[in-house]
Amino acid sequence: MITKADELVYAPLGGVGEIGMNLSVYGYGSGRKKAWIAVDLGVSFGGGEDLPGVDLVMPDIRFLLEERKSLHGLILTHGHEDHFGAIIDLWPRLKVPIFATPFTAALFEAKRQAEPGAPEIPVNVVPLGGTIKLGPFTVELCSMSHSIPESNALIIGTPLGKVLHTGDWKLDPTPVVGPATDEARLRRLGEEGCLALVGDSTNAVRDGRSPSESEVGATLAKLIAAAPQRVAITTFASHVARIRSIALAARDCGREVVLVGRAMERVVQVARETGHLDGVPEFRSASNYGYFPRDKVVALCTGSQGEPRAALARIASDSHPEIGLAKGDQVIFSSRTIPGNEKAVNKIINGLVAQGVEVITERDHLVHVSGHPRRDELKELLGWVKPSIMIPVHGEPLHLAAHAKLARSLGVPEVVGCRNGDLVRLAPGPAGIVDEVPQGRLYKDGYLIVEAEARTVADRRRLGFVGVVSVALALDETGTLCSDPEVELIGIPENDGRGKSFAAQAVQTALETVEHLPRARRRDPDTVAEAVRRAVRGGIAASWGKKPLCLVHVLTV
Ligand SMILES: [Zn+2]
Ligand SMILES: [Zn+2]
């Protein structure tokens, strides 16, 4: 039953205006009394120079915690880290029922078990094409092809209409693993009536269609067949279709496949258990590598993004205990370099080339293809589904704008651009942003999770540009210095431009500052500390041109 006040709303809490850390919520009901479901809970990988020491970035889940009592479930579209990578860290605060298809659930469990100290986290397994009833929502899974098995769009049924949440997808009639995008179901949704489409914008600036996964497989098969010696191939660990293509190509040339890297071993085991590698010969372990003739082996490695501890980096620096390459061998990057990783990947490529290894990347041959839809695919989906509203998500502002423009040009009646934290009303009435909900970012910092607004990481970033000067003073009860100040510099040049020691200057400045303070004020340690801090910092800044951080400790004895 629909009451007059009932409305259907959508809010992204991550993944809009950025690639990564996807988290969306849908709400149904009136005013503050809404039932909610959440879709995906992903991470972005560390910020590198921008966020020193941060391994993972996650969406802030304050809103989910506030609405915890009316949050009916968390549905995972697929097993990529930008969709499920934050669960192990954040679920213990939420304890909401999780729903996922068999491969995603098994991959999550394998990952959880590999993480020391990870809590038990139950996942409800839903079959492909299955339906989940959650309060006023009926969520139906719709198979989509992508670069990992079992990617799903969600058809979210509510009393006010159906929403298609596309998840990550592409159109690929020959996806190598798993079913192709379920065109029949999507066309039927168009006939039933689709209120809103919330869709993947990653490749909305790219014209045409993405090539099929099976074309990549064919290219890899040709390259392996023509290779005179050893071939090592690196790809994303979770790319089961690629792993399958490589395995079958190797088999056809009479080569054994050696698996190198723990993340890939884990995915392969899960893929075998869930039937996605049926018919693929067993892989050999890395310890067998040296026993195969040079033209009878393919090494399948982790490390396509230049990760320094992954298999390929160690092979490139000739420090892998079991796998080595020599002049005339080939390395194929069956991957795309994610922006931000170029330096690390180039370092590996240079290491390999210096050893006389031939390196093949997507610039040379069709050895990789994206798992996201280009413009003609986006058009086709909009044509099938014919939504009244389109909301572009999963992209940076450039991608979102291109997707919005494309939808408008195709005559989608309402296109709503929103940002993380915007609450969008989908029905009743015209669609639009009606409110804001709390959103933000969390950082994984060592074992801890810290709020992005906390000063920790900002302080660390500052320390990357300036140093620290620390001054320790001891005063007696009359405010007289008991000894010379102790000064320590970290990350500050030793001498100024005239060759004068910064440490000696800081001692001098501290002494003079204390002496010039009236005796009454010298008895207050805080006053002394602040005066010394300003003077020392200013003194160093005057001849360095940069303001260091300055810490002053005043002990009273
Ligand atoms: Zn994604
Ligand atoms: Zn994905």
Side-chain angles (χ1 to χ4, degrees), residues 169-173 203 206-213 215-216 366 368-377:
W169 66 282
K170 66 183 282 192
L171 294 183
D172 188 343
N203 279 345
R206 300 187 71 179
D207 281 323
R209 300 174 161 271
S210 29
S212 169
E213 187 57 37
E215 289 175 58
V216 175
L366 184 68
H368 179 66
V369 68
S370 162
H372 299 275
R374 296 191 192 172
R375 295 171 68 83
D376 286 356
E377 295 161 82

Side-chain angles (χ1 to χ4, degrees), residues 78 80 82-83 146 168:
H78 64 292
H80 274 152
D82 61 321
H83 295 259
H146 185 43
D168 292 4

Side-chain angles (χ1 to χ4, degrees), residues 236 304-305 333 335-343 345 362:
F236 299 98
S304 68
Q305 298 307 308
F333 280 78
S335 57
R336 179 185 81 105
T337 303
I338 294 170
N341 296 340
E342 294 89 348
K343 254 192 199 167
V345 171
E362 61 170 346

Side-chain angles (χ1 to χ4, degrees), residues 224 227 229-232 250 253-258 284 288-300 323:
I224 295 170
Q229 297 189 59
R230 283 168 168 163
V231 182
C253 314
R255 288 181 184 244
E256 298 282 348
V257 177
V258 164
R284 302 304 196 100
N288 294 311
Y289 174 83
Y291 298 105
F292 297 119
R294 303 193 82 82
D295 59 348
K296 291 281 175 271
V297 65
V298 171
L300 190 46
I323 312 293

Side-chain angles (χ1 to χ4, degrees), residues 387-399:
S388 306
I389 305 163
M390 202 289 282
I391 301 178
V393 298
H394 202 290
E396 293 171 358
L398 173 75
H399 313 127

Side-chain angles (χ1 to χ4, degrees), residues 33 41 349 396 442 456-457 509:
K33 285 194 218 133
L41 186 50
I349 293 179
E396 293 171 358
L442 301 172
T456 332
V457 178
T509 309

